[in-house]
Amino acid sequence: MHDFTPIPALIGGAIIGLAASLLLLTHGKVAGISGLYGSLLRQGTSDRAFRLWFIAGLAAMGMLVRLTWPAAFASAWSASLPVTLLAGLIVGFGTQLGNGCTSGHGVCGLSRLSVRSLVATLTFMGTGFATVFVVRHLLGGAR
Amino acid sequence: MKRNAAAFGAGALFAVGLALSGMTRPAKVVGFLDLAGDWDASLAFVMMGAIAVHFVAYRVVLRRPAPLFDVRFHLPTRKDIDLRLVLGAALFGVGWGLGGYCPGPGLVSAAAGSLGAIVFVVGLTAGMLIEQAVARALPRRE
């Protein structure tokens, strides 16, 4: 484990938990990113404003972090662009079908002790582990 | 005004957490998902930190009769485990493992100008629109 960083991970995680709690306190909503973003794409979603502002906050901070700490986006490993596009398609389709991603099911759902979210989290962790195993160890790191 | 500022602040804070925790680096994410390789357990600590805070805060916040800027809480009520949930989550995990991005870090990194993340978000958006179109075309049996 040459890149093991438990302390920033724990602090960063705590901040994510705090952000989700802030959205719950102010708007009474679950901070599930795929849900917030996906609903913006759908016609007739009520309460678009807060979704738009949340995503805008996410994006604005992304730009600010890039300016002040570009290493946050550094990547020694990177999938090729066609594979990344395919990955995006699958993540988009899957998170809409399964009503959530790492934030909605993983963080918020598990905190609520939701059985649906537990099943979802175990499932996506399982297929995530399996996918990396196949790509890295069976296909020999094919990109 | 306050409503929108709060949502903007929550989004910005969320992005700080993602960047600090390493979730915006696909190499870090794939290092965590690579159990058989040089496994990097860091991201398990992200989950622990997030849940430790939100588990407690969720219970404190829900003692209120309503959130600050709404008349009631809007929390998921479904309890059923259906094929859509399992299949959707399974697909999500495959895409996460392939690209190293989940939706939040993808959006943050795309805004930060990472080319891979921009391509990921194009795919993410298209994938979501396709699912929504399919869901409209196929009436749900629920």
Short mmCIF file of all heavy atoms in Angstrom, two decimals, chain A residues 81-124:
data_model
loop_
_atom_site.label_atom_id
_atom_site.label_comp_id
_atom_site.label_asym_id
_atom_site.label_seq_id
_atom_site.Cartn_x
_atom_site.Cartn_y
_atom_site.Cartn_z
N LEU A 81 -9.91 7.43 -23.19
CA LEU A 81 -11.13 8.23 -23.30
C LEU A 81 -12.35 7.41 -23.75
O LEU A 81 -13.43 7.58 -23.18
CB LEU A 81 -10.90 9.45 -24.20
CG LEU A 81 -9.91 10.48 -23.59
CD1 LEU A 81 -9.79 11.69 -24.52
CD2 LEU A 81 -10.31 10.92 -22.19
N PRO A 82 -12.21 6.50 -24.75
CA PRO A 82 -13.38 5.68 -25.09
C PRO A 82 -13.89 4.84 -23.90
O PRO A 82 -15.09 4.73 -23.69
CB PRO A 82 -12.88 4.78 -26.23
CG PRO A 82 -11.73 5.52 -26.82
CD PRO A 82 -11.10 6.27 -25.68
N VAL A 83 -12.95 4.27 -23.14
CA VAL A 83 -13.36 3.47 -21.98
C VAL A 83 -14.01 4.37 -20.93
O VAL A 83 -15.01 4.00 -20.30
CB VAL A 83 -12.15 2.71 -21.37
CG1 VAL A 83 -12.51 2.08 -20.03
CG2 VAL A 83 -11.65 1.65 -22.34
N THR A 84 -13.48 5.58 -20.75
CA THR A 84 -14.05 6.52 -19.79
C THR A 84 -15.46 6.93 -20.19
O THR A 84 -16.35 7.05 -19.35
CB THR A 84 -13.15 7.77 -19.67
OG1 THR A 84 -11.82 7.34 -19.35
CG2 THR A 84 -13.64 8.70 -18.58
N LEU A 85 -15.66 7.13 -21.50
CA LEU A 85 -17.00 7.47 -22.01
C LEU A 85 -17.99 6.33 -21.72
O LEU A 85 -19.10 6.55 -21.23
CB LEU A 85 -16.94 7.76 -23.51
CG LEU A 85 -18.24 8.24 -24.16
CD1 LEU A 85 -18.60 9.64 -23.67
CD2 LEU A 85 -18.14 8.23 -25.68
N LEU A 86 -17.53 5.10 -22.01
CA LEU A 86 -18.36 3.92 -21.74
C LEU A 86 -18.66 3.82 -20.24
O LEU A 86 -19.80 3.55 -19.85
CB LEU A 86 -17.62 2.66 -22.23
CG LEU A 86 -18.33 1.34 -21.98
CD1 LEU A 86 -19.58 1.24 -22.85
CD2 LEU A 86 -17.40 0.15 -22.27
N ALA A 87 -17.63 4.07 -19.43
CA ALA A 87 -17.81 4.02 -17.97
C ALA A 87 -18.88 5.02 -17.55
O ALA A 87 -19.77 4.70 -16.73
CB ALA A 87 -16.49 4.32 -17.27
N GLY A 88 -18.83 6.22 -18.11
CA GLY A 88 -19.82 7.24 -17.78
C GLY A 88 -21.23 6.81 -18.16
O GLY A 88 -22.17 6.95 -17.38
N LEU A 89 -21.36 6.24 -19.36
CA LEU A 89 -22.67 5.75 -19.82
C LEU A 89 -23.23 4.72 -18.85
O LEU A 89 -24.40 4.78 -18.46
CB LEU A 89 -22.51 5.10 -21.21
CG LEU A 89 -22.61 6.00 -22.43
CD1 LEU A 89 -22.19 5.22 -23.68
CD2 LEU A 89 -24.05 6.50 -22.61
N ILE A 90 -22.39 3.76 -18.46
CA ILE A 90 -22.84 2.68 -17.58
C ILE A 90 -23.19 3.24 -16.20
O ILE A 90 -24.20 2.86 -15.60
CB ILE A 90 -21.75 1.58 -17.46
CG1 ILE A 90 -21.45 0.97 -18.83
CG2 ILE A 90 -22.17 0.51 -16.48
CD1 ILE A 90 -20.28 0.01 -18.82
N VAL A 91 -22.37 4.16 -15.69
CA VAL A 91 -22.65 4.76 -14.37
C VAL A 91 -23.95 5.57 -14.42
O VAL A 91 -24.78 5.48 -13.52
CB VAL A 91 -21.48 5.65 -13.91
CG1 VAL A 91 -21.86 6.46 -12.67
CG2 VAL A 91 -20.24 4.81 -13.61
N GLY A 92 -24.14 6.33 -15.51
CA GLY A 92 -25.36 7.12 -15.65
C GLY A 92 -26.60 6.24 -15.69
O GLY A 92 -27.56 6.46 -14.95
N PHE A 93 -26.56 5.22 -16.55
CA PHE A 93 -27.70 4.31 -16.67
C PHE A 93 -27.95 3.58 -15.35
O PHE A 93 -29.07 3.51 -14.86
CB PHE A 93 -27.44 3.30 -17.80
CG PHE A 93 -28.65 2.51 -18.20
CD1 PHE A 93 -29.46 2.94 -19.24
CD2 PHE A 93 -28.96 1.33 -17.54
CE1 PHE A 93 -30.59 2.20 -19.60
CE2 PHE A 93 -30.09 0.59 -17.90
CZ PHE A 93 -30.90 1.03 -18.94
N GLY A 94 -26.88 3.05 -14.78
CA GLY A 94 -27.00 2.24 -13.56
C GLY A 94 -27.50 3.02 -12.35
O GLY A 94 -28.34 2.54 -11.60
N THR A 95 -26.99 4.24 -12.18
CA THR A 95 -27.39 5.00 -10.99
C THR A 95 -28.83 5.49 -11.11
O THR A 95 -29.51 5.63 -10.09
CB THR A 95 -26.47 6.21 -10.75
OG1 THR A 95 -26.38 7.00 -11.93
CG2 THR A 95 -25.08 5.77 -10.34
N GLN A 96 -29.31 5.72 -12.34
CA GLN A 96 -30.73 6.08 -12.49
C GLN A 96 -31.61 4.87 -12.23
O GLN A 96 -32.62 4.96 -11.54
CB GLN A 96 -30.99 6.63 -13.89
CG GLN A 96 -30.39 7.99 -14.13
CD GLN A 96 -31.00 9.06 -13.24
OE1 GLN A 96 -32.15 9.46 -13.40
NE2 GLN A 96 -30.24 9.53 -12.27
N LEU A 97 -31.20 3.73 -12.80
CA LEU A 97 -31.98 2.50 -12.63
C LEU A 97 -32.02 2.09 -11.15
O LEU A 97 -33.06 1.71 -10.63
CB LEU A 97 -31.35 1.37 -13.47
CG LEU A 97 -32.12 0.05 -13.56
CD1 LEU A 97 -33.43 0.25 -14.31
CD2 LEU A 97 -31.26 -1.01 -14.26
N GLY A 98 -30.89 2.19 -10.46
CA GLY A 98 -30.79 1.73 -9.08
C GLY A 98 -31.01 2.83 -8.05
O GLY A 98 -30.81 2.60 -6.86
N ASN A 99 -31.44 4.01 -8.53
CA ASN A 99 -31.76 5.12 -7.62
C ASN A 99 -30.64 5.54 -6.68
O ASN A 99 -30.90 5.86 -5.50
CB ASN A 99 -32.99 4.81 -6.76
CG ASN A 99 -34.23 4.59 -7.59
OD1 ASN A 99 -34.75 3.48 -7.65
ND2 ASN A 99 -34.69 5.62 -8.26
N GLY A 100 -29.39 5.53 -7.13
CA GLY A 100 -28.37 6.08 -6.23
C GLY A 100 -26.97 5.62 -6.54
O GLY A 100 -26.76 4.69 -7.31
N CYS A 101 -26.01 6.33 -5.95
CA CYS A 101 -24.61 5.98 -6.15
C CYS A 101 -23.90 5.90 -4.80
O CYS A 101 -24.50 5.59 -3.78
CB CYS A 101 -23.95 7.00 -7.09
SG CYS A 101 -24.02 8.70 -6.50
N THR A 102 -22.62 6.19 -4.80
CA THR A 102 -21.81 6.10 -3.58
C THR A 102 -22.33 7.04 -2.48
O THR A 102 -22.27 6.70 -1.30
CB THR A 102 -20.35 6.50 -3.91
OG1 THR A 102 -20.28 6.81 -5.31
CG2 THR A 102 -19.40 5.38 -3.62
N SER A 103 -22.82 8.23 -2.88
CA SER A 103 -23.29 9.19 -1.88
C SER A 103 -24.69 8.86 -1.38
O SER A 103 -24.91 8.74 -0.18
CB SER A 103 -23.24 10.60 -2.45
OG SER A 103 -23.84 10.65 -3.73
N GLY A 104 -25.63 8.69 -2.31
CA GLY A 104 -27.02 8.45 -1.91
C GLY A 104 -27.21 7.13 -1.18
O GLY A 104 -27.83 7.08 -0.11
N HIS A 105 -26.69 6.05 -1.76
CA HIS A 105 -26.80 4.73 -1.11
C HIS A 105 -25.68 4.53 -0.08
O HIS A 105 -25.93 4.12 1.05
CB HIS A 105 -26.73 3.60 -2.14
CG HIS A 105 -28.00 3.38 -2.89
ND1 HIS A 105 -29.23 3.30 -2.28
CD2 HIS A 105 -28.24 3.22 -4.22
CE1 HIS A 105 -30.18 3.09 -3.19
NE2 HIS A 105 -29.60 3.05 -4.39
N GLY A 106 -24.44 4.80 -0.49
CA GLY A 106 -23.29 4.48 0.37
C GLY A 106 -23.24 5.31 1.63
O GLY A 106 -23.15 4.77 2.74
N VAL A 107 -23.29 6.63 1.51
CA VAL A 107 -23.15 7.49 2.69
C VAL A 107 -24.50 7.73 3.38
O VAL A 107 -24.70 7.37 4.54
CB VAL A 107 -22.50 8.85 2.31
CG1 VAL A 107 -22.49 9.79 3.51
CG2 VAL A 107 -21.08 8.62 1.80
N CYS A 108 -25.45 8.30 2.62
CA CYS A 108 -26.73 8.67 3.24
C CYS A 108 -27.57 7.45 3.60
O CYS A 108 -28.11 7.36 4.70
CB CYS A 108 -27.51 9.59 2.31
SG CYS A 108 -26.65 11.16 2.00
N GLY A 109 -27.66 6.51 2.67
CA GLY A 109 -28.51 5.34 2.91
C GLY A 109 -28.00 4.48 4.06
O GLY A 109 -28.77 4.06 4.91
N LEU A 110 -26.71 4.23 4.09
CA LEU A 110 -26.16 3.41 5.19
C LEU A 110 -26.32 4.13 6.52
O LEU A 110 -26.60 3.50 7.54
CB LEU A 110 -24.70 3.05 4.93
CG LEU A 110 -24.41 2.09 3.77
CD1 LEU A 110 -22.96 1.65 3.78
CD2 LEU A 110 -25.32 0.87 3.81
N SER A 111 -26.19 5.46 6.52
CA SER A 111 -26.38 6.23 7.76
C SER A 111 -27.82 6.12 8.26
O SER A 111 -28.08 6.18 9.45
CB SER A 111 -26.04 7.71 7.54
OG SER A 111 -24.67 7.86 7.24
N ARG A 112 -28.76 5.97 7.30
CA ARG A 112 -30.17 5.83 7.69
C ARG A 112 -30.51 4.37 8.01
O ARG A 112 -31.65 4.05 8.32
CB ARG A 112 -31.08 6.30 6.55
CG ARG A 112 -31.05 7.79 6.30
CD ARG A 112 -32.13 8.22 5.30
NE ARG A 112 -31.92 7.65 3.98
CZ ARG A 112 -32.70 6.72 3.42
NH1 ARG A 112 -33.75 6.23 4.05
NH2 ARG A 112 -32.43 6.26 2.22
N LEU A 113 -29.53 3.48 7.89
CA LEU A 113 -29.72 2.04 8.08
C LEU A 113 -30.77 1.48 7.11
O LEU A 113 -31.58 0.64 7.47
CB LEU A 113 -30.11 1.72 9.54
CG LEU A 113 -29.12 2.20 10.61
CD1 LEU A 113 -29.65 1.85 12.01
CD2 LEU A 113 -27.75 1.57 10.41
N SER A 114 -30.74 1.97 5.88
CA SER A 114 -31.65 1.50 4.84
C SER A 114 -31.15 0.17 4.28
O SER A 114 -30.00 0.04 3.87
CB SER A 114 -31.73 2.54 3.73
OG SER A 114 -32.10 1.93 2.50
N VAL A 115 -32.06 -0.81 4.26
CA VAL A 115 -31.68 -2.13 3.74
C VAL A 115 -31.47 -2.07 2.22
O VAL A 115 -30.55 -2.68 1.69
CB VAL A 115 -32.75 -3.19 4.10
CG1 VAL A 115 -32.41 -4.54 3.49
CG2 VAL A 115 -32.86 -3.33 5.62
N ARG A 116 -32.31 -1.29 1.52
CA ARG A 116 -32.13 -1.10 0.07
C ARG A 116 -30.73 -0.56 -0.22
O ARG A 116 -30.05 -1.03 -1.13
CB ARG A 116 -33.17 -0.10 -0.46
CG ARG A 116 -34.45 -0.70 -0.97
CD ARG A 116 -35.45 0.38 -1.36
NE ARG A 116 -35.06 1.18 -2.52
CZ ARG A 116 -35.30 0.83 -3.78
NH1 ARG A 116 -35.93 -0.29 -4.05
NH2 ARG A 116 -34.93 1.61 -4.77
N SER A 117 -30.32 0.42 0.56
CA SER A 117 -29.01 1.01 0.32
C SER A 117 -27.87 0.06 0.67
O SER A 117 -26.83 0.07 0.02
CB SER A 117 -28.87 2.31 1.11
OG SER A 117 -29.71 3.30 0.58
N LEU A 118 -28.08 -0.77 1.69
CA LEU A 118 -27.07 -1.77 2.03
C LEU A 118 -26.90 -2.76 0.88
O LEU A 118 -25.77 -3.07 0.47
CB LEU A 118 -27.45 -2.51 3.33
CG LEU A 118 -26.47 -3.59 3.76
CD1 LEU A 118 -25.11 -3.01 4.11
CD2 LEU A 118 -27.01 -4.38 4.95
N VAL A 119 -28.03 -3.23 0.35
CA VAL A 119 -27.98 -4.17 -0.79
C VAL A 119 -27.28 -3.50 -1.98
O VAL A 119 -26.40 -4.08 -2.61
CB VAL A 119 -29.40 -4.64 -1.17
CG1 VAL A 119 -29.39 -5.38 -2.50
CG2 VAL A 119 -29.98 -5.52 -0.07
N ALA A 120 -27.66 -2.24 -2.26
CA ALA A 120 -27.06 -1.53 -3.39
C ALA A 120 -25.56 -1.35 -3.19
O ALA A 120 -24.76 -1.58 -4.10
CB ALA A 120 -27.74 -0.17 -3.57
N THR A 121 -25.16 -0.94 -1.98
CA THR A 121 -23.74 -0.68 -1.71
C THR A 121 -22.91 -1.96 -1.83
O THR A 121 -21.85 -1.96 -2.46
CB THR A 121 -23.57 -0.04 -0.32
OG1 THR A 121 -24.38 1.13 -0.24
CG2 THR A 121 -22.11 0.35 -0.07
N LEU A 122 -23.41 -3.04 -1.24
CA LEU A 122 -22.67 -4.31 -1.35
C LEU A 122 -22.57 -4.73 -2.81
O LEU A 122 -21.54 -5.26 -3.25
CB LEU A 122 -23.36 -5.40 -0.52
CG LEU A 122 -23.29 -5.21 0.99
CD1 LEU A 122 -24.10 -6.30 1.71
CD2 LEU A 122 -21.85 -5.23 1.49
N THR A 123 -23.65 -4.48 -3.57
CA THR A 123 -23.66 -4.87 -4.99
C THR A 123 -22.66 -4.06 -5.80
O THR A 123 -21.84 -4.62 -6.54
CB THR A 123 -25.07 -4.70 -5.58
OG1 THR A 123 -26.00 -5.46 -4.79
CG2 THR A 123 -25.13 -5.17 -7.02
N PHE A 124 -22.67 -2.72 -5.65
CA PHE A 124 -21.75 -1.94 -6.50
C PHE A 124 -20.30 -2.08 -6.06
O PHE A 124 -19.39 -2.03 -6.88
CB PHE A 124 -22.21 -0.49 -6.71
CG PHE A 124 -22.15 0.47 -5.55
CD1 PHE A 124 -20.95 0.87 -4.98
CD2 PHE A 124 -23.32 1.03 -5.05
CE1 PHE A 124 -20.91 1.79 -3.93
CE2 PHE A 124 -23.30 1.95 -4.00
CZ PHE A 124 -22.09 2.32 -3.44
#
